Amino acid sequence: MEFDEVARRGLVLLGCGKMGGAMLDGWLAGGLPASAVTVLDPKPSAGLEARVSAGLNLNGELPADPAVAILAVKPQMMGAALPQLAALGGGGTLFVSIAAGTTLATLGDALGAGTPIVRAMPNTPAAVGRGITALIGNASVDAAGLDLAENLLSAVGRTVRIDTESEIDAITALSGSGPAYVFLLIEAMAAAGVAQGLAPELAQSLARATVIGAGALAESAAETPAAQLRTDVTSPGGTTAAALQVLMADEGLVDLMSRAIAAAAARSRELAV
Ligand SMILES: NC(=O)C1=CN([C@@H]2O[C@H](COP(=O)(O)OP(=O)(O)OC[C@H]3O[C@@H](n4cnc5c(N)ncnc54)[C@H](O)[C@@H]3O)[C@@H](O)[C@H]2O)C=CC1
Ligand SMILES: O=C(O)[C@@H]1CCC=N1
């Protein structure tokens, strides 16, 4: 992407943990100069500290008029952390919050009337440019502000604009948290392989390669419904059918996933303050 305006005016990142760090990696890999980035984080990782030699401003003074400020602290820390950036509110700096739960109204109250704020929900595959981020702006964000947020987020994967803020709870539960479900699937498949007598290392690499390969196939066959891709694996009376009888039974994976995602969405609503 073109980082011109962000490179010229600067980007401030409040909180550089797993998700802030994943996005930062993506932006730097995409050509944003480290010297354009100011990170505020009381517990910087060693990897982040190593970027200081490339010009990244770590816990130093804020730029006077940054193009964008990214809020990537935990929702529970937002109230304590946000005052550090309050001086940038109400004006030309676009705020982009990726915090689960925290609403546009809450952020607007903290940052002052007229502050352009985009609420976004990314996921950690952003670190390798394969994230998916949903975003929505408040009433103070104009078309250029939304474009800027979308440009930044599309530098680390795909983006989708939404019209209703409350959809973010379900999106957080599905794609924000979703990578964890896939990693658990790898763990569960590997453990099941070990239970069937495979060596742990072999089971791990088979499980991982299977999920990676299936993901790539789902991507290359984007027009084919997942149900068809599943059917393609399933020989009548064969091994896959035997497994799917277990996974697709009442209270099987579909029911379990539905309950898991409902729990995550409920937690997202609880985190709303
Ligand atoms: N981890 C994920 O997969 C995703 C996380 N998110 C959201 O991203 C946000 C961050 O989550 P993670 O990166 O997982 O958490 P994390 O705990 O890895 O990172 C949070 C960072 O904030 C820093 N921090 C704490 N207090 C601070 C303060 N007063 N000022 C500046 N920095 C401060 C911490 O030192 C830490 O590095 C959360 O709001 C979460 O809801 C959104 C989508 C996905
Ligand atoms: O677990 C969480 O609350 C955050 C939001 C989505 C992914 N991680």
Side-chain angles (χ1 to χ4, degrees):
M1 72 159 282
E2 289 295 320
F3 284 116
D4 290 357
E5 192 193 349
V6 179
R8 187 170 52 79
R9 293 174 54 200
L11 176 149
V12 175
L13 177 59
L14 182 70
C16 189
K18 289 178 283 294
M19 194 62 237
M23 293 193 303
L24 180 61
D25 286 349
W27 292 324
L28 296 174
L32 181 68
S35 57
V37 178
T38 299
V39 175
L40 299 183
D41 194 315
K43 290 189 184 153
S45 66
L48 181 60
E49 281 176 334
R51 300 229 186 246
V52 171
S53 60
L56 182 139
N57 172 8
L58 179 58
N59 292 323
E61 264 190 42
L62 290 177
D65 179 34
V68 63
I70 311 288
L71 309 177
V73 294
K74 294 279 188 202
Q76 296 88 343
M77 303 303 299
M78 193 62 85
L82 214 44
Q84 300 173 84
L85 300 189
L88 302 178
T93 298
L94 174 73
F95 281 75
V96 178
S97 168
I98 63 159
T102 314
T103 62
L104 285 168
T106 299
L107 294 165
D109 286 347
L111 293 166
T115 305
I117 307 170
V118 167
R119 187 171 166 196
M121 182 44 58
N123 60 13
T124 53
V128 290
R130 303 297 301 271
I132 173 78
T133 305
L135 65 150
I136 183 167
N138 71 358
S140 301
V141 179
D142 59 14
L146 262 183
D147 284 349
L148 174 59
E150 188 161 33
N151 274 344
L152 265 180
L153 294 163
S154 63
V156 292
R158 292 170 52 196
T159 58
V160 53
R161 292 189 189 191
I162 57 171
D163 298 323
T164 313
E165 186 180 1
S166 58
E167 284 182 300
I168 287 254
D169 296 312
I171 290 167
T172 303
L174 177 55
S175 55
S177 298
Y181 317 153
V182 176
F183 300 133
L184 178 62
L185 180 67
I186 294 176
E187 292 175 66
M189 286 171 68
V194 171
Q196 289 303 312
L198 297 178
E201 269 184 22
L202 176 61
Q204 266 290 341
S205 70
L206 291 171
R208 202 176 265 254
T210 300
V211 169
I212 292 168
L217 182 58
E219 182 175 50
S220 77
E223 302 305 315
T224 311
Q228 181 59 51
L229 296 174
R230 166 170 55 77
T231 303
D232 292 345
V233 188
T234 312
S235 310
T239 60
T240 316
L244 291 178
Q245 247 178 26
V246 177
L247 288 171
M248 297 175 79
D250 290 349
E251 300 186 12
L253 184 62
V254 176
D255 176 65
L256 202 55
M257 190 58 80
S258 168
R259 286 191 285 128
I261 288 185
R267 181 61 185 143
S268 176
R269 287 189 289 273
E270 271 172 18
L271 287 169
V273 283

